[in-house]
Amino acid sequence: MEGVGGWSWPLHGIRLHTADLDLTVMTEADLPTLWALLPDDLELNPHATTYAGLDVPANRRAVLAQGYWRALGMWSPDDWALPFVVRSAGAVVGAQWLEGPDWRSDRTVDSSSWLVAGARGRGLGRQMRAAVLALAFGPLRAEAAISSAVVDNAPSLGVSRSLGYHDTHRSVLEHSGQTLQHVRLDVKTWDASGRSRHVVVEGVDPALPLFGLDP
């Protein structure tokens, strides 16, 4: 993303590659494509602002756009959220987020993601999560990763468990009453799995100061 005088925001230089996927940090130019692909079964942030004058699809587009702007506009080394666009053979198939909500305190990352219906069931969810974990446990020096999903979301929990996460505890969502299963993965388990070997991470060094890290 080029700016004045050719200057670019360091985060947009980060690139992640797996056997079948390329992940690039989301830009404003990606939003129309992502709006068109948002799955109907994707539950967006229930606490996000909605607008009485907009219909449901327009409100969903607003939640996505404002989430993106908030992530990069309110970035700090203590609390950050990094959104990636996921492409397979050049076509956008989903989005993957990596977050450090209390980063300099606990060095723990969280994640969330979605895939278009036609890209599901092919192991791509596992690859995109592995990609951001390779970034987190590699150049970003994370100590742990957490995630969560409603207890009947077998695909999401299956991805987590296949990558070495273990179940920790359950909680209840206030807005829906659904039960969440929380999971956790530590750096030793990740390193022992050797999965980082299947991910190429590029362009991170210029962005390290934004994570409070020395290059």
Side-chain angles (χ1 to χ4, degrees):
M1 188 177 88
E2 292 299 319
V4 177
W7 180 81
S8 59
W9 189 235
L11 294 172
H12 286 99
I14 298 174
R15 301 283 189 275
L16 310 177
H17 309 281
T18 71
D20 301 299
L21 301 174
D22 299 296
L23 284 72
T24 57
V25 175
M26 193 179 298
T27 71
E28 192 161 337
D30 294 314
L31 293 178
T33 299
L34 295 169
W35 286 335
L37 295 175
L38 271 178
D40 291 336
D41 60 355
L42 175 65
E43 182 175 351
L44 298 174
N45 181 1
H47 304 294
T49 300
T50 54
Y51 304 94
L54 299 180
D55 60 16
V56 171
N59 265 306
R60 286 169 62 81
R61 292 193 294 270
V63 171
L64 174 64
Q66 290 186 281
Y68 162 73
W69 289 322
R70 185 176 298 111
L72 297 192
M74 299 183 67
W75 185 282
S76 84
D78 296 299
D79 183 2
W80 51 264
L82 187 60
F84 288 91
V85 177
V86 182
R87 291 177 173 84
S88 176
V92 175
V93 294
Q96 172 75 58
W97 288 67
L98 182 69
E99 304 176 21
D102 201 9
W103 176 242
R104 287 200 286 194
S105 174
D106 62 16
R107 283 289 195 271
T108 296
V109 295
D110 199 349
S111 61
S112 62
S113 65
W114 58 266
L115 278 168
V116 298
R120 298 174 187 175
R122 295 159 43 193
L124 301 184
R126 184 181 301 109
Q127 286 190 43
M128 52 205 270
R129 179 91 65 87
V132 293
L133 290 175
L135 169 64
F137 287 125
L140 301 188
R141 308 164 214 166
E143 296 177 3
I146 58 173
S147 189
S148 61
V150 294
V151 293
D152 59 355
N153 189 344
S156 178
L157 291 172
V159 166
S160 295
R161 290 164 180 156
S162 73
L163 290 170
Y165 290 77
H166 65 273
D167 293 359
T168 55
H169 65 285
R170 292 184 174 186
S171 64
V172 177
L173 289 169
E174 293 181 7
H175 69 281
S176 67
Q178 293 177 299
T179 300
L180 276 183
Q181 176 65 60
H182 298 265
V183 295
R184 181 180 178 87
L185 172 67
D186 61 64
V187 63
K188 290 184 179 179
T189 301
W190 172 260
D191 286 346
S193 74
R195 290 188 175 91
S196 287
R197 297 195 304 268
H198 305 293
V199 180
V200 177
V201 178
E202 300 175 333
V204 181
D205 282 357
L208 289 179
L210 299 179
F211 297 90
L213 302 170
D214 294 328

